[in-house]
Amino acid sequence: MSSRKYVKKMILGVVLVLAVLFAVPRSVEAKASAKKLKVDKTYTQYDMTGDKKKDTFRVSGDAIDYGTYKEYKGYTVYLNGKKVLSDTGYILDFIIYRLELKNGNVFVAIVPESNNGDVFGAAIYKYTGGKLKKLLDLYNMEKIGYHNNVSKISVSGNTIRVKHGVMSFALASIGFSLDYQYKGGKLVQKSTQTKLTESIVKLQKKTYWTAKRSMTLLNKVGGKKIAAITKGKKVKIDRIYLNAKHTQIYLHVKVKGGKSGWVKGLTKYPAYGKELFEEVMYAG
């Protein structure tokens, strides 16, 4: 066999191998991401339904333009030219996310912002049955406080993390994050305990809270009494317990020079002078 024929055969062989490789369908693992989108902008580069195909997506705001700022009376979501969601309300701005998990599931988070940072109607949706179905209410903190807000949403692997802020009945302004996983067609809160990342005491760069009234220290959430916290006692608070429905809150405290345990938080606005701690200052 001549060298020229040999080279031709080698090239033909390589071409055939490449053709087979490209012809065989390969599963592509999704990359977890949280992409911020803008209101009144049309996007054509993203898969919004989870079918691995690019879609046309737009959130159109029903705006009153005052020149230096806008007020929105509501919004409508369009997916491939079809209206898939709409809502009304007093809105000053939007936070919109396209969320994709490592397993390929795609979600849309819409956070309408109002006065005092309130996010009435904020939720995470998934495209199902020709519409955006609400899977997670991001405002449902009314049992533990008011002025509920969402400052950030991120994704890691198959987990969605939401950074919440609440003017809580127990501690006034607090910040914390909750993690959610997609299971059985629902977004489920992964844990009932989370670190307290923001508070009035942290803002003032202090360490201790001062008990304004007597409280019972429990060995666990809903557990047995292990000590009494008397008025004037100093405590550290490092984390909170929040049940999946966000209707119960407990505070994990370490009494200065004493024991650690849990204190039941408040689920309604306290009467004047009945706040849990001296440092508590409500706003709004």
Side-chain angles (χ1 to χ4, degrees):
M1 182 186 296
S2 68
S3 59
R4 182 177 294 179
K5 288 182 178 179
Y6 177 77
V7 170
K8 284 184 178 180
K9 283 193 173 185
M10 286 293 292
I11 292 173
L12 180 60
V14 170
V15 170
L16 289 173
V17 170
L18 290 173
V20 170
L21 287 174
F22 282 110
V24 175
R26 292 172 293 169
S27 60
V28 180
E29 189 175 51
K31 184 179 180 181
S33 64
K35 175 67 178 177
K36 264 192 172 183
L37 308 179
K38 295 181 179 179
V39 67
D40 295 325
K41 182 175 179 179
T42 301
Y43 295 88
T44 58
Q45 67 269 47
Y46 300 118
D47 166 23
M48 305 299 294
T49 64
D51 64 358
K52 308 302 179 187
K53 298 177 182 179
K54 293 179 180 180
D55 298 294
T56 300
F57 179 83
R58 179 183 177 89
V59 178
S60 294
D62 184 5
I64 303 172
D65 194 339
Y66 291 101
T68 55
Y69 71 98
K70 291 181 179 180
E71 289 181 6
Y72 299 86
K73 296 185 293 181
Y75 65 91
T76 303
V77 182
Y78 296 95
L79 187 55
N80 297 323
K82 180 183 176 183
K83 182 169 74 173
V84 292
L85 179 70
S86 63
D87 202 359
T88 58
Y90 176 70
I91 304 166
L92 296 176
D93 205 356
F94 290 90
I95 301 174
I96 305 167
Y97 283 94
R98 175 194 180 268
L99 306 170
E100 182 169 4
L101 304 184
K102 188 177 179 181
N103 60 22
N105 280 298
V106 177
F107 306 87
V108 176
I110 301 178
V111 182
E113 295 183 310
S114 187
N115 288 327
N116 302 307
D118 284 290
V119 291
F120 303 109
I124 297 179
Y125 303 86
K126 194 175 194 310
Y127 184 77
T128 305
K131 63 180 182 178
L132 286 181
K133 178 183 177 182
K134 182 192 290 188
L135 296 186
L136 184 65
D137 182 348
L138 295 176
Y139 191 77
N140 65 339
M141 300 284 177
E142 297 99 323
K143 291 292 184 180
I144 67 162
Y146 55 101
H147 290 329
N148 306 326
N149 66 79
V150 172
S151 58
K152 185 179 180 181
I153 303 177
S154 58
V155 174
S156 178
N158 291 320
T159 298
I160 296 174
R161 172 165 289 185
V162 181
K163 187 175 181 181
H164 295 273
V166 181
M167 184 62 64
S168 68
F169 302 130
L171 298 175
S173 181
I174 59 174
F176 54 91
S177 294
L178 292 174
D179 291 341
Y180 301 90
Q181 279 189 324
Y182 185 59
K183 290 183 178 180
K186 298 179 180 180
L187 279 173
V188 181
Q189 186 175 310
K190 287 179 66 175
S191 174
T192 53
Q193 293 188 29
T194 183
K195 183 179 178 181
L196 186 65
T197 56
E198 296 175 20
S199 70
I200 290 173
V201 166
K202 286 181 179 290
L203 183 65
Q204 295 174 343
K205 297 183 179 179
K206 295 180 180 180
T207 303
Y208 293 99
W209 299 79
T210 309
K212 193 169 183 177
R213 57 172 165 136
S214 295
M215 289 172 270
T216 301
L217 189 66
L218 306 173
N219 64 336
K220 62 181 180 179
V221 171
K224 296 179 180 180
K225 178 181 177 179
I226 56 174
I229 301 175
T230 55
K231 184 178 179 179
K233 279 285 187 180
K234 300 286 186 179
V235 304
K236 289 181 181 179
I237 303 175
D238 60 350
R239 64 185 187 271
I240 63 173
Y241 163 93
L242 192 61
N243 66 340
K245 292 184 178 180
H246 305 162
T247 56
Q248 290 183 327
I249 182 171
Y250 284 78
L251 316 173
H252 185 261
V253 307
K254 170 70 170 70
V255 180
K256 189 175 183 180
K259 297 181 178 181
S260 295
W262 293 89
V263 170
K264 189 173 183 178
L266 303 179
T267 53
K268 63 179 181 179
Y269 200 98
Y272 180 76
K274 296 295 184 179
E275 300 87 356
L276 293 183
F277 301 97
E278 296 282 355
E279 292 75 14
V280 168
M281 293 183 294
Y282 301 109

